[in-house]
Amino acid sequence: MAKLQDRVKKRELITGIVAVIIVGYMLMCGWYSFRGHIDSSGMYYLGISLAVILVVVFLKERLIGADPNRENADKRIYNIIGFGSMAYSFIMMIIVTGIFNNHEMQSWKIDGNIGRIINMQLIIIFILNLALFIIQNYVNMRKYEGETGREYSLIGACFTSMMYSWLLHTLTDIHSFNKYMIIIAAIVIIELLAVYIIRFCVTNHRQVS
């Protein structure tokens, strides 16, 4: 019993430390992204940051493990919100792209009001998903005794909003906007798919073994 309690405390400690580090780093990235303090290489920096955080979360999941009898309802809700947020960001930026292409505007910064409204929406998406990430980790520590959760969609939604906000602050012409929007979508989708595929392969391998 004493060994079991020590194991639970260790899981809770690791879960808490990893969550604090990730949240702190994401807040720092968000601050610079939404205030436009990232230079022209910001998108690639955010893409690398997303990959690193997804790897850290995956390694935490492998190290701590997941309860096979754990409820699935909360995970479905988190995934729906996370992927829904990303979908909303993609759809919103596609619509804006169409508007700017049709009006042949050469600069995103011509109409500051549109930029501020969209940036505020992205900030809300970032805060919502980051808050859910914190809540999910807290629930993992209290309800599931440190067992890890599926947080990839929430993290992906946060970084999607940061990348698009970076694009709003650094855009110089509509052609660059079209190109970088596709690159951002590809980065987020590819990295999330890679994590899910690797996790699926590892899980199947363990079950076979």
Side-chain angles (χ1 to χ4, degrees):
M1 182 62 69
K3 289 182 179 180
L4 180 60
Q5 290 177 347
D6 289 340
R7 192 179 303 168
V8 170
K9 289 180 180 179
K10 182 180 178 180
R11 285 203 305 261
E12 291 178 349
L13 179 62
I14 294 174
T15 299
I17 291 175
V18 173
V20 169
I21 293 174
I22 291 176
V23 169
Y25 185 72
M26 291 172 69
L27 284 172
M28 181 184 70
C29 290
W31 171 261
Y32 284 99
S33 298
F34 295 119
R35 290 185 60 86
H37 291 166
I38 294 183
D39 58 18
S40 58
S41 62
M43 185 188 64
Y44 303 103
Y45 168 78
L46 290 173
I48 294 172
S49 298
L50 172 59
V52 170
I53 290 181
L54 290 177
V55 169
V56 170
V57 173
F58 177 79
L59 292 177
K60 183 192 74 169
E61 178 184 323
R62 296 300 92 187
L63 176 64
I64 297 176
D67 185 359
N69 298 318
R70 179 175 170 178
E71 299 173 5
N72 292 319
D74 59 337
K75 292 186 289 186
R76 285 197 297 270
I77 293 173
Y78 290 133
N79 280 327
I80 289 173
I81 294 175
F83 285 114
S85 299
M86 281 187 279
Y88 177 78
S89 297
F90 291 145
I91 293 171
M92 176 179 66
M93 301 310 282
I94 290 172
I95 293 175
V96 171
T97 302
I99 294 174
F100 276 81
N101 279 321
N102 290 334
H103 289 79
E104 298 181 353
M105 291 187 176
Q106 297 301 314
S107 173
W108 177 263
K109 299 175 182 179
I110 291 178
D111 192 339
N113 291 326
I114 295 178
R116 281 193 293 268
I117 291 172
I118 295 176
N119 197 49
M120 183 58 63
Q121 291 179 346
L122 294 174
I123 291 174
I124 292 172
I125 290 173
F126 172 80
I127 293 175
L128 171 64
N129 285 274
L130 188 60
L132 290 175
F133 175 81
I134 296 171
I135 292 171
Q136 187 183 25
N137 276 275
Y138 179 80
V139 171
N140 291 339
M141 293 177 63
R142 298 305 177 194
K143 185 176 180 181
Y144 300 111
E145 299 182 331
E147 298 287 352
T148 188
R150 313 302 189 205
E151 301 149 338
Y152 308 114
S153 61
L154 300 178
I155 295 171
C158 287
F159 272 89
T160 301
S161 62
M162 284 191 278
M163 289 179 183
Y164 280 134
S165 183
W166 165 85
L167 185 58
L168 295 178
H169 287 95
T170 58
L171 184 68
T172 56
D173 60 82
I174 192 62
H175 300 293
S176 297
F177 179 83
N178 294 335
K179 179 181 73 174
Y180 282 113
M181 193 187 78
I182 295 173
I183 294 175
I184 288 172
I187 288 174
V188 176
I189 293 173
I190 290 173
E191 292 185 7
L192 284 174
L193 282 176
V195 171
Y196 276 103
I197 291 172
I198 293 171
R199 193 189 73 187
F200 176 78
C201 294
V202 171
T203 302
N204 283 352
H205 178 72
R206 286 189 173 185
Q207 289 175 351
V208 172
S209 302

